Each structure stands twice: as structure tokens, then as C-alpha cells.
Amino acid sequence: MTPEEFRDAGHQMIDWIADYRANIDQMPVRAQVRPGEIKNKLPTSPPETPETIDRLLQDLDQIVLPGITQVQHPMHFGWFPSNASLASVLGDIASSGLGTIGISWESCPALTEIEQVVCDWMRQLTGLSEQWEGTIHDTASTACLTALLLAREQASGYSQNAGGLQSMSKPLVVYTTEEAHSSVTKAALLAGFGKRNLRLVNHDITTRAMLPEDLKARIEQDIADDFQPTAVVASVGSTGVTAFDPVAQIAEITSQYKLWLHIDAAMAGNAMLLPECRHLWDGVEAADSISWNPHKWMGTILDCALFYVKDPEHLIRVMSTNPSYLRSSVDQQVTQYRDWGIPLGRRFRALKLWFHLRLDGPEAIRNRLRRDLDNARWFASEVAKSPDWQVVAPVTLQTVCIRHQPDGFQGEALNKHTLAWVDAINQSGEAFMSPAKIDDCWLARVSIGVETSTREHVKKLWDLIQSSAVQTLK
Ligand SMILES: Cc1ncc(COP(=O)(O)O)c(C=O)c1O
């Protein structure tokens, strides 16, 4: 494709995206296809000769769109807000068009230095002190894995340069709670700690936040049993009910016992753009690493996960490999982001955050987050004052966990009822929310925060919920 052909096709593509976003509320929220349906519509062998952009756009309309659960739809209340602001889409397009490789500072100085600048902007926007330096990973899962590798190497005195974990005399232990995201367990397993050395600390039954006294007791027990306590992963906004582990109290314990403290704030870190929410991670300055995803509620298109550390030297010591073919004359003066994470080649991810911050502006982003918090409070109060309805977890941010419990419904009957009314809404395509199981009891999670979701959409959802719950009783 020549630049001129690209120009023509590109204009059509941008128009297609703009139309798609403008009309998204006309589409069913959940993909209305059966497993295999999309694949069956595609040829089994690749094309030999070029096709036209028109044919491709037609297939986007006819084959791809039905196979998409529309997370940008204003009636999407599932999982978590995964906004892809159009400002950040432009940055992503610029990144693709530039086609940089990001394997070293020299391969694209702008990639490195804009990443440094936007990470610092985000640090300032969330009220973190100057002791933090950041980078952009693909996801919070990668950030957590990186954090646990750093913890492992700190605790083991850089065992990777000798016999690795296999040479350690004591098993290294990681602590989190069962409320933590599954990526924490995955990171602990991939970092070589082993399931037997992952402790699920007790949590408060109402707030679902980690109990620091239980953390301390487990650490002391492990020391007595000849284990080596190594790291704590605290959730600042857990996935299920957006629970907040008490960071300040946990940090006191991790500094007393010299454990690494990683803060997983994947979704809720975005709330820290609002000064009034920052008390939710009080004590964060005492952590060793922090990550969150602007690609969630804030709305910088996926993939964009911020990862901050206080000690980049340690990070580089663990991650650096320095192959000779990447040496350059400025190595001593520049940041080599390949040494700040796992991959060598890196996309120019900073551009989407740069575009987002510059074209939308933090003030508008903050206003939107405040609107969502307000909508969540309104929705929770409507639910709480309705007979047979309960809000089943504290509403700290924009996640509202609810249950419809008519007289006589308990245990399995209640679970069946909850799943039935949630499924009915999801199948209808009118709205989407995700059920979640807590203490063996299903609930419906309403996660508010799509960029285009207004109070009207939340009201419409509440009407749908009430009628679906009543209908499924019949
Ligand atoms: C608290 C928490 N941590 C981690 C993750 C994983 O995020 P990612 O998809 O960026 O790996 C999620 C995803 O929802 C999450 O809610």
C-alpha cells in the first residue's frame, strides 16, 4: 500500500470509526453470536490477491461488529469501565503509523522521552511524590509480575545471577487476599514462588479489605516455620467489590519485616486523579511499586498500564541484559526502557496517553469521573430504598454490587434467581453487567463509568433490572 492509497483508505477507516462510535447505542451491548459463528463466516485459506478496503469495511460491518461485546456502549456496566477515548485512539493511530521499534533510546529517543514525561505528568496528576519514576507496561498483570520479580531478587540477594530460586534455603512467601485479582496469583506462580508459598490473608467480611493483624500473624508464623516472607500485593480497588486494602497499616508491617509492597490499583488508581479520593490509598508513599491502568476508567485506549518504582536502579539490575548489538555511545546518559520491563521491543504507547491528556485534558477527565461517582451513589441509594433489594458491599467508587432477595429466597434458589435476571438482561442486548460470586453467593455487579454513560442510562438500567428481576420470578 502506498502512502496515497493509505490516505484514501485511511479516510474511509476514520469515517467508519466515527460512525461506529456515533451509532454504538443502536447495537446490542453483548455480542449476539454463538461459539464458532464468526470463524465459520471466514474463508479457511488466506487471500492470494489484494482485496479492496470497501470489502474489508463491509466485513467489519457484517462479520466483526456482531462479534463484539460493545464495551464502549453507554449501557455497558460489566466488568470495569474500559474506555477508549477517541483522543487516545488518535494517539494509538499515530503510534501505529510511526511504526517505531523502541528497543533502545537510540531506536526512538522520542518514545523514551515522551514516556518519561507522561509518566511524570500522571504522577503529578495523582498526587504522588517525586520519589516515583514510571514506565508504561501493557497490562497490570505484567506490572504485577515485574513487581514480584523485583521482590524475589531483593529478598534472594539477586539469586538469578547464581542458582536462582532453586538455590534458596528457605521458601520465599507472597501475601495477598482472596479478593486480589487472579493476575496476582498468576504473577506469583510465574515468578517461581509456587502456590504453596502464596498466603491468602484474611479479609474483613464487610469491606473485604485485608486484615493487617492477620498479615502480621502469618508473617510471624512463617518466620517461625523457617520461610522467608518476601512480598505483599495490596489491592487498591479489588476486582469483585472494589475493596481497598489498608495501605498505611500494611506498609508499617512491610517496612518492619522488610517485605516488598506492591500496590495493584488497576482500576481504582484512576480515581486518584481526584484529590478527594486519595485517602483511599493513604500510605502509598511507603510502597515499593504501584501500578494502575489508564486503559480502564480514565479512558486511554488499551493497552496502557502505568508502573512506578522508587528504586529504578534495582529494577534495572533485575531486568537488564545489555546485549552488545544494542550498545550506543549515549548509553550512560539515557533511560533504556527495555531494562524496565520484560519485552525488548516496545510500542510507542506514551503517544496515546499524551494525546488523551492534551486533547481531552485532565479537567474534563476529572469531571467525568466525578459524574460517575455521583451516578453510582444515586443508583445505590435507589436500590437501597427499594423493598427486596440490597446493596451488598460498600460503594466506595463506581462499582455497585446488588442483590434482589424476595421473601423466602436463599441459598441455591437465590443464586439461581440472581443469575437468571442478570442473564436475561445480558441476553436481551439492552444492557450488560457481570455477576460475581462472593462467599458462595452470586450478586450483580454494576460497574458505572463508560465515557458516554449518563444518569439517563443508569436510570434506564435500574428500570431494566427491576423488570427483569420481577419477570424471572413468574
Ligand atoms: C484489581 C485488578 N488488578 C489487575 C487486573 C488485571 O488487569 P490487566 O488486564 O491490565 O492485566 C484487573 C483487571 O480487571 C483488576 O481489576
Side-chain angles (χ1 to χ4, degrees):
M1 182 175 273
T2 65
E4 277 316 310
E5 287 165 343
F6 175 80
R7 191 188 310 280
D8 284 346
H11 280 295
Q12 287 188 61
M13 187 73 250
I14 295 283
D15 282 343
W16 187 91
I17 295 172
D19 288 343
Y20 162 66
R21 288 297 185 96
N23 298 314
I24 197 167
D25 60 350
Q26 308 300 312
M27 287 174 225
V29 187
R30 190 172 80 173
Q32 305 281 309
V33 292
R34 290 177 309 280
E37 196 176 322
I38 306 280
K39 202 169 150 197
N40 290 338
K41 288 186 180 156
L42 300 174
T44 50
S45 45
E48 273 302 326
T49 50
E51 297 185 54
T52 62
I53 184 73
D54 299 313
R55 267 304 301 280
L56 264 167
L57 293 179
Q58 205 180 3
D59 283 356
L60 275 183
D61 279 325
Q62 290 169 6
I63 302 178
V64 177
L65 278 187
I68 288 186
T69 292
Q70 310 289 352
V71 294
Q72 309 304 325
H73 193 297
M75 293 300 287
H76 180 261
F77 298 94
W79 306 305
F80 47 82
S82 189
N83 290 312
S85 69
L86 287 169
S88 67
V89 170
L90 287 177
D92 214 30
I93 291 173
S95 164
S96 298
L98 288 167
T100 57
I101 52 174
I103 55 177
S104 63
W105 178 88
E106 193 176 40
S107 73
C108 187
L111 181 155
T112 305
E113 297 186 14
I114 292 178
E115 185 161 328
Q116 288 177 305
V117 168
V118 291
C119 286
D120 199 61
W121 285 359
M122 288 302 294
R123 175 191 70 71
Q124 294 174 48
L125 285 167
T126 50
L128 290 172
S129 75
E130 285 181 359
Q131 64 176 341
W132 296 98
E133 285 187 56
T135 184
I136 306 177
H137 286 327
D138 53 359
T139 59
S141 303
T142 305
C144 188
L145 173 59
T146 309
L148 289 186
L149 294 173
L150 298 183
R152 185 190 76 190
E153 290 310 297
Q154 176 178 273
S156 68
Y158 299 95
S159 67
Q160 67 182 15
N161 298 328
L165 275 190
Q166 299 184 68
S167 63
M168 299 298 293
S169 58
K170 297 178 182 184
L172 308 189
V173 181
V174 176
Y175 305 82
T176 191
T177 72
E178 82 176 18
E179 293 296 305
H181 190 261
S182 55
S183 56
V184 178
T185 301
K186 192 170 185 173
L189 301 189
L190 293 176
F193 288 91
K195 210 166 209 158
R196 273 204 311 240
N197 305 310
L198 177 66
R199 306 274 181 267
L200 296 182
V201 177
N202 291 342
H203 57 260
D204 181 276
I205 50 163
T206 310
T207 63
R208 324 258 344 151
M210 185 186 284
L211 290 172
E213 58 275 20
D214 189 52
L215 171 65
K216 189 167 172 151
R218 283 172 191 262
I219 290 173
E220 287 186 349
Q221 186 63 53
D222 279 328
I223 294 170
D225 293 344
D226 222 17
F227 286 81
Q228 187 172 343
T230 297
V232 175
V233 180
S235 305
V236 165
S238 63
T239 311
V241 301
T242 319
F244 289 82
D245 290 341
V247 176
Q249 287 166 278
I250 293 169
E252 251 177 58
I253 299 169
T254 52
S255 63
Q256 181 185 351
Y257 294 93
K258 304 206 170 4
L259 272 67
W260 188 277
L261 175 56
H262 176 63
I263 305 295
D264 174 15
M267 207 286 301
N270 296 300
M272 306 311 164
L273 287 160
L274 306 178
E276 65 270 29
C277 289
R278 290 186 197 148
H279 66 94
L280 292 169
W281 70 3
D282 263 353
V284 72
E285 290 291 330
D288 297 284
S289 53
I290 312 172
S291 77
W292 79 90
N293 294 343
H295 72 225
K296 288 194 159 75
W297 192 16
M298 180 177 148
T300 311
I301 185 173
L302 196 143
D303 50 357
C304 186
L306 291 165
F307 179 62
Y308 289 88
V309 290
K310 288 199 288 211
D311 184 0
E313 264 177 46
H314 173 60
L315 175 67
I316 292 165
R317 195 163 161 195
V318 174
M319 295 283 160
S320 169
T321 45
N322 251 343
S324 57
Y325 80 101
L326 294 175
R327 278 175 63 94
S328 84
S329 57
V330 292
D331 282 351
Q332 300 312 312
Q333 304 158 45
V334 297
T335 293
Q336 301 289 12
Y337 272 131
R338 65 168 182 270
D339 297 336
W340 287 55
I342 295 163
L344 167 62
R346 315 175 77 248
R347 297 195 73 226
F348 201 160
R349 288 199 190 93
L351 278 183
K352 52 190 162 193
L353 193 47
W354 199 48
F355 271 54
H356 188 196
L357 289 171
R358 293 186 59 187
L359 291 175
D360 280 354
E363 192 184 357
I365 298 170
R366 282 193 292 264
N367 289 342
R368 175 165 57 76
L369 301 185
R370 289 194 175 108
R371 174 204 67 181
D372 298 338
L373 293 175
D374 210 39
N375 283 342
R377 282 190 290 265
W378 174 84
F379 176 63
S381 75
E382 290 299 302
V383 174
K385 68 186 183 210
S386 305
D388 298 339
W389 285 93
Q390 298 159 9
V391 177
V392 292
V395 180
T396 317
L397 290 182
Q398 40 54 263
T399 314
V400 187
C401 296
I402 63 173
R403 206 175 276 135
H404 181 238
Q405 190 167 8
D407 268 355
F409 275 74
Q410 274 172 357
E412 260 323 287
L414 179 58
N415 278 342
K416 262 177 95 172
H417 174 58
T418 306
L419 290 178
W421 69 256
V422 173
D423 277 353
I425 291 177
N426 289 347
Q427 273 170 26
S428 75
E430 289 190 67
F432 185 87
M433 68 188 82
S434 11
K437 207 172 192 183
I438 279 188
D439 298 335
D440 273 337
C441 205
W442 285 98
L443 52 80
R445 271 175 90 254
V446 174
S447 179
I448 294 172
V450 170
E451 200 179 3
T452 50
S453 273
T454 62
R455 176 67 59 85
E456 284 315 305
H457 296 103
V458 181
K459 279 185 181 161
K460 190 168 154 198
L461 176 75
W462 179 218
D463 289 344
L464 272 172
I465 287 175
Q466 292 175 95
S467 58
S468 179
V470 171
Q471 282 294 323
T472 45
L473 285 178
K474 288 183 182 160

